[in-house]
């Protein structure tokens, strides 16, 4: 990264250990969503830059895949340390690039980015090789890396999700060509600087910056990349799957969600209320795990609504640098418009907007930023558009349910199946509900508790494949059986 001739910050691709200009000379404007202004430019790397990155990764992969587990783990640990040593700077960069509250980036996301490398550095020590003996042969099953892996990550948790994909791919012995979102490219570029600082061999991690249509598509189509891990919207996931299928690439797709939050009358009300506020509005609702459909047992519906609305009305939306604010800006003007138009649709469908429902103007430095008030809507049927489509903003709907069966029916009546939250003191019921909910992740009496050893992913239109723990290392390797014949 450096300043261009016009003094604008230029965010370049990182290829073979150095930062390069896009071969076509094309740059995209990059905005600070909290102030609504361009503050840098990001390379829109064409297919030829992706070629360069894949060639560098292919060269590097010979040595990288032959390193001992300790040597590879040490490189990952040095990256983790490099992230920690620049944590404050990274958190500020993430806040500026995405509009998210600084405290969220600083306390959760950047520490987790470092932890992703540390975790997989540890986990590879436990990778084992299976052997099956018989009178006619001894079979040894090798788990071999692909050579070069591709990763495509979104803008909502930029460095957190970028590293969540890159770390296991590298740990398993692959070199990587990684594409961050063009809306939030900055911290990935800083990670490139960290790779230089900690002496990661050239070509092991390459970061191609650019749009999905240009750079992302080139990465998906590249014959040198045999496995791709993607997190983003369901529509983009479908496009990627359609490009990858005829090329027989291995895919992991983490897509959207429309997650239910099931609240039974016997729950710990105060804990549920505080957590439900977070699961609704953390990161302005732009987390695939946010619970955007709140389902409440009828007997406590009025009590819940009164208490929840009081919290929502008190919530502070504003400058993400100000620690007193609960919500920052949404990621872009286009995304703000998408959220506001989803709220209009909800009103047209007969929804009652009980809180929010509008953009927020923030005086001072952020007066032109893109903010949306936390919004609560009820009086909508499960089948309406609002309750079916992902909004990915600070917008939740609330619906009453009669009993557990009704709650499960409502929970499952969407095309998605990423996560769910169940609030009840009755653990038998919690287990039955959890077993019957169509989701890859279910929390009982909590939310967003993530143990990196556990599998993470969705069912139905929320994706295919699992990330996390040993599942991630399995994704990034392919099995080869070698039979020593007797
Ligand atoms: O994401 P995209 P968008 C959902 C959310 C949001 C919607 C659209 O509902 O409103 O998706 O968001 C790259 N080939 N989520 O359009 O397009 C792109 O450059 C290869 C849920 O911003 O999915 C970026 O790096 N790559 C979600 C990444 O895909 C392509 C997080 C994600 O962008 C590509 C984000 C292509 N043809 C949005 N087109 C979650 N699951 O957490 C785009 N990309």
């Amino acid at each position: 990264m450096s300043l261009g001739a016009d003094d604008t910050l230029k965010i370049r691709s990182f290829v073979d250990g150095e930062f390069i200009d896009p071969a076509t000379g094309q740059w995209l404007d990059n905005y600070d969503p909290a102030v609504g202004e361009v503050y840098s430019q990001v390379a829109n790397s064409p297919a030829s830059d992706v070629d360069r990155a894949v060639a560098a990764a292919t060269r590097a992969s010979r040595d990288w895949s032959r390193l001992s587990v300790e040597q590879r783990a040490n490189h990952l640990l040095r990256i983790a340390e490099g992230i920690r040593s620049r944590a404050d700077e990274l958190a500020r960069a993430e806040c500026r690039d995405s509009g998210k509250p600084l405290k969220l980036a600083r306390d959760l996301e950047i520490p987790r980015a470092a932890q992703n490398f540390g975790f997989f550095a540890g986990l590879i020590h436990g990778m084992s090789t299976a052997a099956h003996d018989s009178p006619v042969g001894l079979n040894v099953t090798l788990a071999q890396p692909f050579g070069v892996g591709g990763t495509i990550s979104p803008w909502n948790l930029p460095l957190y999700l970028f590293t969540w994909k890159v770390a296991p791919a590298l740990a398993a012995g692959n070199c990587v060509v990684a594409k961050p979102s063009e809306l939030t490219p900055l911290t990935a570029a800083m990670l490139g600087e960290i790779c230089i600082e900690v002496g990661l061999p050239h070509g092991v991690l390459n970061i191609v910056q650019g749009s999905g249509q240009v750079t992302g598509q080139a990465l998906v189509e590249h014959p040198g990349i045999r496995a791709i891990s993607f997190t983003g919207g369901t529509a983009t996931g479908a496009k990627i799957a359609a490009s990858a299928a005829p090329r027989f690439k291995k895919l992991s797709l983490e897509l959207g969600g429309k997650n239910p939050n099931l609240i039974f009358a016997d729950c710990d009300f105060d804990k549920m209320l505080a957590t439900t506020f977070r699961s609704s509005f953390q990161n302005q609702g732009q987390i695939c795990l946010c619970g955007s459909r709140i389902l409440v047992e009828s007997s406590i519906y009025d009590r819940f609504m009164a208490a929840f609305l009081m919290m929502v009305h008190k919530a502070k939306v504003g400058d993400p640098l100000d620690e007193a604010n609960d919500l920052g800006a949404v990621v872009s003007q286009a995304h703000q418009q998408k959220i506001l138009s989803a709220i209009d649709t909800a009103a047209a469908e007969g929804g009652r907007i009980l809180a929010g429902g509008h953009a927020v103007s923030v005086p001072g430095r952020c007066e032109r930023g893109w903010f949306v008030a936390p919004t609560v809507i009820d009086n909508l049927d499960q089948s309406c558009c609002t309750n079916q489509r992902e909004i990915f903003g600070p917008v939740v709907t609330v619906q009453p349910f009669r009993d557990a069966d009704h709650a499960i029916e409502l929970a499952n009546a969407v095309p998605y199946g990423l996560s769910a939250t169940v609030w009840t003191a009755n653990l038998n019921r919690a287990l039955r509900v959890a077993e019957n909910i169509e989701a890859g992740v279910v929390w009982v009496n909590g939310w967003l508790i993530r143990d990196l050893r556990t599998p993470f992913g969705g069912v139905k239109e929320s994706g295919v494949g699992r990330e996390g723990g040993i599942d991630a290392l399995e994704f990034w390797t392919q099995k080869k059986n070698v039979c020593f014949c007797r």
Side-chain angles (χ1 to χ4, degrees), residues 339-341 343-344 353-360 372-377 394-395:
I339 296 166
L340 294 175
S341 117
I343 296 170
D344 288 346
I353 316 284
L354 301 170
H358 51 80
V360 175
V372 177
T375 299
V376 181
I377 308 171
V395 180

Side-chain angles (χ1 to χ4, degrees), residues 394-431:
V395 180
V396 292
T397 64
V398 191
Q399 295 177 77
F401 65 79
R402 291 183 301 277
D403 54 22
D405 287 338
H406 186 209
I408 294 167
E409 182 191 319
L410 290 172
N412 290 341
V414 284
Y416 297 101
L418 188 55
S419 71
T421 306
V422 184
W423 291 96
T424 177
N426 179 339
L427 291 186
N428 286 334
R429 174 162 63 194
L431 181 58

Side-chain angles (χ1 to χ4, degrees), residues 228-292:
I228 294 170
S229 174
F230 168 79
T231 296
T234 294
T236 307
K239 258 194 225 161
I240 290 176
S243 298
R247 296 173 172 90
F248 307 106
K249 298 191 181 206
K250 189 173 182 186
L251 274 189
S252 168
L253 302 172
E254 302 296 337
L255 309 175
K258 192 76 186 170
N259 308 313
N261 177 4
L262 287 66
I263 300 170
F264 288 88
D266 65 351
C267 70
D268 174 339
F269 193 84
D270 292 341
K271 183 180 177 202
M272 174 279 297
L273 193 66
T275 310
T276 294
F277 179 79
R278 280 197 305 117
S279 67
S280 302
F281 303 120
Q282 186 157 311
N283 201 34
Q284 300 70 250
Q286 301 167 130
I287 302 180
C288 54
L289 299 167
C290 278
S292 55

